[in-house]
Structures are given as C-alpha cells and as structure tokens.
Amino acid sequence: MGQHFNKNQKPAQVLLMGLDSAGKSTLLFRLQQGVTMETSPTVGFNVGTLELDKRTSLTVWDVGGQRTMRPNWKYYLEGSKALVFVVDSTDRSRMAEAQKALKRILSDENMKGVPLMVLANKKDLPNSMTIREVSNQLELPSYTDQRSWEIQGCSALQGLGLQQAFLSVAKLIRKH
Ligand code: G3D
C-alpha cells in the first residue's frame, strides 16, 4: 500500500469505490496477494493506492455517508480513467444508498464521460440479486448516454470474476 508512483510518471488512475462492507478491502487483498485475508473496516486501509501494473494504479475509497465529504477526493477524481463501483449484491436494504452514492460521484465534473464498471460482489452467496436487478436498482441504463458502462458479477472472497472484470476495465479505458 502507499503511493507507488512519482509525480513525473503518474499511472492511469482507476478508482475503486463503494459503500462500506461492499467488499473493497477483500478485493484489494485478492488483487494484491492472490489470497484472501481477514479484513477490518478501518478507514486507513480503505484509502490506499495499489499498483495493478506499470501503467495502472487503483485507488480505493469508501463512499458511505459522511465519508463522501473527504477533502482530497477531487484530486483523485480529476485524473481518473475509470470508476469501478463495488456493491454487495446481497444487501437489498442498501441499494438505494449505493445508487445515490454512485450518482453523486458520477455527477462530479471530473467524472464526465469516464467509463464505469459495476461489480456485483458476493455472488457466491445464494441470496444475491441478479445482474439485471442490481443494474436496475442502481439505474445504470440512465448512464448510457453519458458514458460506457458494464456490470459483472464477482466474488472477491473466492476471487471469482476479478480477472475478467479488470480485463474489461482495461478495455473500457482503451476504448475511451
Ligand atoms: P469494504 O472494504 O468494502 O468495507 P470488506 O468491505 O472487504 O471489509 O468486506 C465486508 C465483509 O464482506 C467481510 O466480512 C468480507 O469477508 C465479506 N465479503 C467481501 N467480499 C465477499 C464475497 O465475495 N463473498 C462473501 N460471501 N463475502 C464477502 P466480515 O464478516 O469480515 O465482515
């Protein structure tokens, strides 16, 4: 964790956002180490940067509640090439909150036209919502005119669908 780039050679920034408990830390551990580990909801951990490859870095933010007011958000939104938005696809009670958080981020001037990948996480659990349900709850079709977007299911815990998802993110960035 930490800053893996210097000011002269800044890699393409991919933002990983989502409400607390969506599974961002678990996903980050997966990407970092290829294994899952215990996670804790510490704010410090969830604000970090990971180098995915030489050209791409991933910055992680919780976007629940008051946390959206973080002062240096703008800096990260500014240079971002893609947004990966993680949702807990079993948590029906927080879909509306996730929808609002996503809308708020995407309405920022700096996010204009930036491609969006939604990860419907926790697909390993039997009560998870379908891709179509998550897509509708988050009102993704309403973004079609403004940006490229995709939604994929995954299990950060089991590491399922992650490689596919980030390959798709890379494609979205290239197309953009
Ligand atoms: P956050 O970083 O977005 O806040 P975490 O979320 O990564 O801390 O995950 C919150 C809880 O969801 C954790 O459980 C974690 O193990 C679990 N979780 C994350 N991804 C998955 C997944 O794909 N499948 C399942 N079944 N669980 C997942 P605890 O019990 O530690 O709170």
Side-chain angles (χ1 to χ4, degrees):
M1 195 65 60
Q3 301 291 328
H4 289 261
F5 54 89
N6 61 43
K7 277 176 188 154
N8 300 328
Q9 225 184 352
K10 200 174 158 188
Q13 180 94 325
V14 175
L15 295 172
L16 181 77
M17 292 177 154
L19 302 182
D20 52 289
S21 293
K24 299 178 299 300
S25 308
T26 309
L27 194 130
L28 196 63
F29 271 125
R30 266 283 170 201
L31 294 174
Q32 226 171 2
Q33 299 168 336
V35 294
T36 44
M37 289 171 67
E38 285 295 307
T39 61
S40 61
T42 51
V43 170
F45 179 76
N46 283 334
V47 183
T49 301
L50 169 75
E51 198 176 272
L52 281 181
D53 61 40
K54 287 267 179 286
R55 288 172 303 171
T56 320
S57 75
L58 186 72
T59 300
V60 186
W61 295 90
D62 272 347
V63 291
Q66 293 308 306
R67 292 172 185 186
T68 50
M69 300 309 289
R70 285 198 177 124
N72 44 355
W73 249 47
K74 275 239 175 290
Y75 168 79
Y76 288 100
L77 293 183
E78 221 174 75
S80 63
K81 295 285 181 276
L83 172 68
V84 178
F85 191 78
V86 188
V87 286
D88 177 345
S89 59
T90 68
D91 198 349
R92 288 168 169 79
S93 68
R94 291 186 80 195
M95 277 294 157
E97 188 188 347
Q99 182 268 328
K100 282 201 191 86
L102 177 62
K103 193 172 177 180
R104 201 159 46 216
I105 299 159
L106 294 181
S107 66
D108 189 286
E109 186 61 24
N110 292 304
M111 297 302 281
K112 217 172 172 181
V114 169
L116 166 70
M117 168 61 76
V118 173
L119 294 183
N121 191 30
K122 309 197 186 181
K123 295 304 277 181
D124 55 292
L125 295 174
N127 57 337
S128 61
M129 298 165 74
T130 64
I131 292 294
R132 183 182 286 267
E133 273 179 291
V134 176
S135 173
N136 287 337
Q137 291 277 332
L138 295 179
E139 300 179 359
L140 298 185
S142 71
Y143 296 121
T144 305
D145 292 344
Q146 310 159 11
R147 68 189 75 244
S148 318
W149 63 267
E150 266 183 50
I151 178 168
Q152 291 188 16
C154 72
S155 168
L157 194 66
Q158 298 183 341
L160 294 174
L162 299 184
Q163 199 186 359
Q164 178 60 46
F166 282 93
L167 282 174
S168 300
V169 170
K171 255 190 218 161
L172 282 172
I173 293 175
R174 275 202 302 275
K175 265 199 267 175
H176 185 61

